[in-house]
Amino acid sequence: MFEDQYVDLLPTRTTMQVVVTGTGGNGGDGGAGGFAAALTAALGLNSITQTATAASVGGGDATAANAATTGDVTAGDATATGGAGGAGGAGGAGIGG
């Protein structure tokens, strides 16, 4: 080389590459199912006519009595179904690299 020439040395080119990856978060829990209540009721009504008569002779007390028997009353089965639970939430998207 000659005295009037020179060479500049440039620094080496450096690149930094960061690779970030990650998985998404878990989805949310599903909601609980709805409440269910089942009720059953039975009511038996009978109309009973009094047939015994009471009479008093000579001013004394008189008593009349009727006996009545009613049949059994049965209620049917009660069933109920609660509402379906809610769907779980979607998981997170995650980070791609």
Side-chain angles (χ1 to χ4, degrees):
M1 288 190 39
F2 303 100
E3 292 179 7
D4 61 343
Q5 292 182 339
Y6 61 92
V7 175
D8 284 328
L9 297 175
L10 299 174
T12 306
R13 298 246 182 222
T14 305
T15 61
M16 294 184 76
Q17 295 180 350
V18 178
V19 177
V20 178
T21 60
T23 58
N26 293 331
D29 294 336
F35 176 75
L39 302 175
T40 183
L43 176 64
L45 297 176
N46 287 312
S47 176
I48 300 171
T49 305
Q50 181 172 339
T51 57
T53 56
S56 173
V57 178
D61 292 338
T63 302
N66 282 316
T69 303
T70 61
D72 294 336
V73 176
T74 303
D77 293 338
T79 59
T81 302
I95 301 171

